[in-house]
Amino acid sequence: MYNVLSQRKRILIVGMADSVHLARWLSQFVDQHIDFTLFPSSPHRHIHPKIKEIIASPSNQMTVTIQPSSMRWLALPLSALDIPFNNFFRSKLLRRLIFNQKFDLIHVFELQHAGYLLLDTKLAPNLPKVFITNWGSDIYWFQQFPKHKQKIIQLLNIASFYSAECHRDIEIVGRLGYTGATMPVIPNSGGINLEEIPKHLSPPSQRKKIIIKGYTGFVGRALLSIKACELVAEHLRDYEVVIYSASLKARIRALKLRHIHKVQVTIVKKRTPHHRMIQLFSEARIYIGISLSDGISTSLLEAMATGCYPIQTDTSCASEWLTNNSYQTISNISVYSISAALKRALTHDSEVDMIALSNMATIEARADSIIIKKIAHNFYQTIINN
C-alpha cells in the first residue's frame, strides 16, 4: 500500500507539456489526492498523449489541469515572442497564476526552461515552497557557462527541496552553495514497468539488432556512433542498425551506412509508442548512447532491463548503476573508441550474455516502477508535511 495524502493538495508544476519524462512522473500519482496545475515552460505543438490521457480520465484521484488554459495553444507563439523579451510575457502569466491561486508547492521540473522562467517572475522570496528537479544536463553541463551558473545558483537559493537522478549532481549543487533538503536519488521520469518487459527474452548473443540513440543537436553525438558502425561494417552484415530519435544529420549519415557500407538500417519514427521501443530493445544485442552530457538516461535503463548490452559515455552517471564489468564506458569520445567497444560487443558472446543477467537483476532491485513510485509518493509527503 502507498501512503495517500490525507487532504487534497495543490501543486503547481512548471514543466514541458510535451515531455514524456513529465508524463511518466505525473502518471505515478493517479491514486493520490493531488490537484496538479501544469504551466507549460517551453514551446510545444502537442500536449504529450499520456498527459492528455491523465487530464481526461475521470477515474483518477489526482487531477491535472493546464493553466491558464490558453497556454495549450499559445505556448509556442508566446515562447517565440519571448526570445527577444527575456521571458517577459510568460513570466507575467506565471506570476499572475501564482498570485491568484494558493498552491501548497511549486515543483520546477527541469531548470533551463522551467526554473529560469520561475526566476523571471521575480516573486522570490514571496513564493510557496519550491521543489526543483533537474534533468540530466541541467547542472552537469550548464554549470560550465558563467551566465547559466549564476542562474542555477539563484534558483538553488530559492529552493527548499531538490532532487536529481545522479549523486554526481547532488555533489555539484552542494559545491554551488545549495543548503536545502535533498531527496533520495531515483530516475526522474519514474522506474521501469517490469510487466512491459517480454517474459521470454532470447540471449543477446543471439540477437541481430543494434540500437543507436540518434540525437546530434545540443550534446548528442550520434554521428560518431554511426561512423563507428561504418568502421566495423564487415561485422554487421547480418545485423540491423536501428536508429531512434534521429536528427536530420543522423538520417543523412545513415544513408551512407546503408548504401555505401551495405548495412541494413532502420530509422524509427519519432513518436513510436513506448511498448514498441521496449520490443526493439528486447530484440537488440547492443545499445549505443553517446553524448557530451546525460543523467542516468532512460534508454540505458531500458537497455539494461531487456538484456541489451550498453555502450555509454562516462558523461552520464551510468557508473552509479553499472559496474565497470557490466557495460563498456566511453571516456575518450571518438569514433575509434566507440568502434573498438562495438567490435568487442559483437565478438564476445559469453560476455554480453553474462552482463545481461547482471544488468537485469540490477533493474529488478533498483528501478522497478513499483519501488520508484513509492519513493516518489514519499517526496510529496515529506515536502508538504515539512
Side-chain angles (χ1 to χ4, degrees):
M1 290 291 292
Y2 301 117
N3 293 325
V4 177
L5 291 166
S6 58
Q7 296 180 336
R8 296 200 72 82
K9 299 299 180 182
R10 304 187 69 193
I11 298 176
L12 172 62
I13 296 271
V14 186
M16 299 180 183
D18 58 351
S19 165
V20 65
H21 301 302
L22 178 54
R24 291 175 65 174
W25 174 263
L26 289 172
S27 68
Q28 298 176 110
F29 300 93
V30 294
D31 58 350
Q32 294 287 291
H33 298 147
I34 301 176
D35 295 317
F36 285 108
T37 296
L38 171 58
F39 186 93
S41 62
S42 64
H44 63 264
R45 290 183 173 85
H46 306 283
I47 307 297
H48 192 277
K50 186 177 282 289
I51 294 180
K52 278 184 166 181
E53 181 183 321
I54 293 170
I55 290 173
S57 176
S59 61
N60 296 338
Q61 292 285 342
M62 171 193 79
T63 67
V64 176
T65 58
I66 295 177
Q67 292 191 28
S69 58
S70 58
M71 286 296 284
R72 280 176 173 263
W73 304 279
L74 293 180
L76 181 58
L78 277 181
S79 295
L81 188 62
D82 260 349
I83 292 173
F85 291 99
N86 297 317
N87 289 339
F88 176 82
F89 297 102
R90 288 176 303 137
S91 67
K92 293 296 183 187
L93 287 174
L94 179 57
R95 180 186 177 94
R96 184 181 305 163
L97 179 63
I98 295 170
F99 260 138
N100 291 343
Q101 300 198 32
K102 187 177 180 181
F103 294 106
D104 297 293
L105 176 69
I106 298 175
H107 187 174
V108 172
F109 203 82
E110 183 270 340
L111 305 192
Q112 274 65 54
H113 295 86
Y116 295 178
L117 187 59
L118 182 63
L119 284 177
D120 289 336
T121 65
K122 303 188 186 307
L123 283 174
N126 301 309
L127 285 166
K129 294 177 183 177
V130 175
F131 171 33
I132 62 175
T133 295
N134 76 258
W135 285 7
S137 298
D138 293 356
I139 298 288
Y140 178 77
W141 178 256
F142 284 99
Q143 63 161 335
Q144 66 184 303
F145 306 106
K147 289 184 179 179
H148 281 285
K149 184 176 180 180
Q150 181 182 11
K151 284 192 172 185
I152 291 168
I153 291 172
Q154 290 173 351
L155 190 56
L156 293 171
N157 286 339
I158 68 171
S160 299
F161 303 89
Y162 169 78
S163 72
E165 59 179 6
C166 303
H167 291 285
R168 173 200 71 190
D169 295 342
I170 291 174
E171 292 174 3
I172 294 172
V173 299
R175 294 197 296 268
L176 294 177
Y178 177 69
T179 58
T182 299
M183 311 309 290
V185 171
I186 59 171
N188 60 25
S189 58
I192 299 294
N193 183 351
L194 299 181
E195 295 297 319
E196 295 180 346
I197 307 301
K199 300 302 180 187
H200 303 290
L201 292 167
S202 60
S205 62
Q206 298 177 14
R207 305 178 193 174
K208 295 298 182 180
K209 284 188 174 68
I210 296 168
I211 291 190
I212 295 176
K213 183 185 289 187
Y215 295 146
T216 61
F218 184 36
V219 294
R221 293 296 180 267
L223 289 184
L224 296 178
S225 303
I226 299 170
K227 291 176 183 178
C229 290
E230 295 170 9
L231 292 185
V232 297
E234 69 273 13
H235 295 281
L236 299 177
R237 299 303 176 209
D238 297 328
Y239 284 84
E240 176 186 4
V241 174
V242 178
I243 306 173
Y244 72 97
S245 297
S247 68
L248 179 59
K249 288 182 178 179
R251 289 168 182 267
I252 292 171
R253 191 72 194 197
L255 292 176
K256 182 177 180 181
L257 182 62
R258 177 188 292 154
H259 295 295
I260 304 298
H261 296 277
K262 307 303 181 184
V263 175
Q264 183 181 355
V265 177
T266 298
I267 306 293
V268 177
K269 292 181 179 179
K270 290 248 175 137
R271 292 192 175 269
T272 298
H274 180 254
H275 68 86
R276 175 57 182 153
M277 288 304 304
I278 292 294
Q279 185 63 40
L280 287 171
F281 273 108
S282 70
E283 296 169 355
R285 178 182 181 120
I286 301 164
Y287 159 69
I288 309 176
I290 306 297
S291 66
L292 298 178
S293 176
D294 210 337
I296 295 173
S297 171
T298 301
S299 295
L300 173 66
L301 297 183
E302 291 170 346
M304 293 172 65
T306 52
C308 181
Y309 186 86
I311 298 174
Q312 182 80 34
T313 40
D314 66 357
T315 50
S316 71
C317 54
S319 61
E320 297 181 20
W321 285 76
L322 296 158
T323 67
N324 290 333
N325 296 324
S326 60
Y327 76 122
Q328 291 198 61
T329 178
I330 304 297
S331 300
N332 175 26
I333 303 178
S334 72
V335 64
Y336 302 106
S337 60
I338 300 165
S339 64
L342 178 56
K343 184 177 179 180
R344 179 177 180 85
L346 286 166
T347 56
H348 287 66
D349 289 351
S350 60
E351 182 177 315
V352 298
D353 287 344
M354 178 182 65
I355 285 171
L357 296 175
S358 172
N359 286 344
M360 287 190 288
T362 297
I363 293 298
E364 290 178 6
R366 296 181 56 194
D368 184 341
S369 60
I370 295 174
I371 297 170
I372 301 303
K373 181 178 178 180
K374 186 173 182 179
I375 298 171
H377 283 195
N378 287 334
F379 278 17
Y380 287 144
Q381 287 276 354
T382 300
I383 292 170
I384 290 173
N385 294 331
N386 191 292

